[in-house]
């Protein structure tokens, strides 16, 4: 069985293959992944070997690893990579917060006792929750939850913020559509909307949603805009840990394609207006 770190790296490698638009037969070197993830070679080798066992990569004698699946076949959900124990733990923590089973402010020692964690593991999990905007450090000692225990209010504030950021990014004079990422996003959206391909799982739709909005951040050519959009995606992921993502129809992904259509035609003002309408509609669907 692969280790926890190898499973985590396997997820990240597949996401990287999708983002880079990799196709079957492309050579994937260890050095490329070391540079991309800033990690040592040992866990990467284990993760690549695991992906070869899953039929995602192919290991050729004396030549290394090659991509075995085309980009449109790469999907973290359909490939059934196992959930890590860290992801399971994150689910429990966020569920406990929204169910008001844990206090807003807590120490790391209290956190360790409640979830039966060692110091190193708890530090890693707390850092992840902090990066996702779920918690922050207290001024003096310990941590506190930043999210409102009212998930509806949290979502409302998130959409209000995004209505300022994402249409504004599209209208920025520095905006330039990343066409490689746009092609990857379009393929995923077309597949999700294809009635003959089966209904996408919530996890697959979450990945697709994050990739689309990250495209806007990357295309803004502004590191602060990208960071803000990625933080909002992490927040939505955190909310989904606790099953606060209600089942949705595919209207959001049809709206994404309308924005992509306008961007690819160079109609940025229309794309910004469509993004405003999309975010307002999405907020309304959650409040309905």
């Amino acid at each position: 069985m692969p280790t926890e770190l190898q499973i985590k790296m396997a997820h990240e490698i597949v996401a990287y293959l999708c983002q880079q638009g990799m196709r079957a037969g492309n050579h994937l070197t260890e050095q490329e992944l070391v540079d991309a993830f800033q990690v040592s070679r040992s866990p990467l080798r284990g993760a690549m070997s695991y992906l070869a066992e899953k039929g995602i990569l192919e290991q050729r004698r004396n030549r290394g690893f090659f991509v075995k699946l085309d980009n449109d076949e790469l999907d973290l959900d359909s490939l059934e990579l196992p959930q890590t124990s860290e992801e399971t733990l994150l689910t429990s923590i966020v569920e406990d917060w929204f169910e008001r089973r844990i206090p807003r402010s807590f120490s790391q020692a209290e956190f360790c006792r409640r979830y039966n964690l060692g110091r190193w593991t708890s530090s890693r999990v707390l850092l992840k929750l902090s990066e996702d905007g779920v918690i922050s450090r207290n001024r003096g000692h310990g941590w506190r939850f930043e999210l409102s225990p009212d998930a509806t209010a949290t979502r409302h504030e998130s959409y209000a913020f995004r209505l300022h950021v994402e249409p504004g990014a599209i209208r920025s004079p520095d905006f330039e559509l990343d066409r490689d990422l746009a092609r990857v996003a379009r393929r995923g959206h077309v597949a999700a909307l294809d009635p003959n391909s089966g209904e996408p799982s919530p996890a697959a739709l979450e990945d697709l949603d994050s990739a689309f909005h990250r495209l806007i951040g990357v295309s803004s050519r502004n590191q602060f805009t990208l960071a803000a959009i990625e933080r909002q995606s992490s927040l939505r992921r955190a909310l989904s840990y606790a099953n606060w993502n209600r089942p949705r129809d595919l209207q959001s992904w049809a709206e994404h394609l309308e924005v992509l259509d306008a961007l690819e035609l160079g109609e940025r003002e229309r794309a910004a207006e469509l993004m405003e309408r999309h975010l307002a509609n999405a907020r309304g669907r959650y409040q309905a």
Side-chain angles (χ1 to χ4, degrees):
M1 289 294 294
T3 66
E4 178 85 6
L5 179 56
Q6 288 169 351
I7 292 173
K8 185 176 186 297
M9 288 306 309
H11 280 263
E12 293 182 3
I13 290 170
V14 173
Y16 174 80
L17 298 179
C18 292
Q19 291 166 4
Q20 297 299 312
M22 292 282 193
R23 302 196 65 81
N26 287 161
H27 190 201
L28 188 65
T29 67
E30 287 183 10
Q31 189 59 52
E32 178 181 358
L33 295 179
V34 167
D35 293 340
F37 301 126
Q38 298 295 301
V39 295
S40 65
R41 292 177 183 269
S42 180
L44 280 175
R45 288 172 184 157
M48 293 169 80
S49 296
Y50 176 62
L51 290 174
E53 292 176 10
K54 299 290 289 184
I56 300 167
L57 300 180
E58 178 185 0
Q59 187 171 16
R60 300 179 186 174
R61 186 178 180 84
N62 299 324
R63 296 186 62 194
F65 289 90
F66 293 77
V67 181
K68 195 171 182 180
L69 300 177
D70 275 334
N71 189 265
D72 55 3
E73 299 176 281
L74 290 169
D75 184 296
L76 282 172
D77 184 64
S78 64
L79 293 171
E80 297 181 349
L81 296 180
Q83 187 180 50
T84 65
S85 59
E86 185 175 295
E87 289 170 332
T88 302
L89 176 60
L90 289 169
T91 300
S92 297
I93 294 166
V94 179
E95 283 180 344
D96 284 348
W97 169 242
F98 282 124
E99 293 297 328
R100 295 175 168 81
R101 291 191 286 258
I102 49 180
R104 176 178 287 274
S105 183
F106 58 91
S107 68
Q108 185 166 352
E110 292 168 335
F111 186 77
C112 289
R113 285 195 297 272
R114 179 175 182 86
Y115 295 103
N116 192 29
L117 301 175
R119 190 82 179 177
W120 187 82
T121 301
S122 68
S123 295
R124 190 177 69 247
V125 171
L126 289 169
L127 177 61
K128 172 61 176 170
L129 289 169
S130 176
E131 290 173 346
D132 286 351
V134 177
I135 63 172
S136 65
R137 286 189 180 274
N138 287 331
R139 285 187 176 181
H141 176 70
W143 299 81
R144 64 183 287 108
F145 279 91
E146 288 296 328
L147 296 180
S148 164
D150 183 342
T152 300
T154 298
R155 274 209 165 85
H156 178 82
E157 291 176 9
S158 175
Y159 276 112
F161 177 73
R162 292 169 63 198
L163 274 162
H164 288 292
V165 173
E166 296 188 47
I170 294 172
R171 291 188 172 105
S172 167
D174 296 326
F175 186 93
E176 182 181 345
L177 182 65
D178 187 310
R179 294 192 176 272
D180 289 334
L181 288 180
R183 279 193 290 272
V184 173
R186 179 174 290 280
R187 279 200 298 269
H189 281 71
V190 169
L193 292 168
D194 183 356
N196 298 317
S197 63
E199 184 175 352
S201 71
L205 293 178
E206 193 73 38
D207 289 339
L208 195 60
D209 184 68
S210 294
F212 169 76
H213 290 285
R214 184 176 185 275
L215 165 65
I216 303 303
V218 170
S219 300
S220 75
R221 314 294 167 177
N222 185 304
Q223 61 177 318
F224 300 106
T225 299
L226 174 59
I229 290 174
E230 288 186 328
R231 189 174 180 85
Q232 290 299 306
S233 291
S234 294
L235 173 60
R236 295 198 301 282
R237 179 79 65 180
L239 289 168
S240 73
Y241 287 147
N243 296 320
W244 284 97
N245 266 337
R246 300 185 308 176
R248 289 179 280 182
D249 61 23
L250 297 180
Q251 182 60 35
S252 284
W253 286 265
E255 292 169 1
H256 287 177
L257 282 177
E258 290 180 338
V259 176
L260 276 175
D261 289 342
L263 288 173
E264 289 169 350
L265 290 171
E267 299 174 354
R268 289 202 289 124
E269 180 55 35
R270 179 168 173 269
E273 292 171 357
L274 288 169
M275 179 64 83
E276 287 171 337
R277 188 180 71 183
H278 160 63
L279 292 171
N281 288 344
R283 178 172 59 182
R285 281 191 283 271
Y286 276 113
Q287 292 174 341

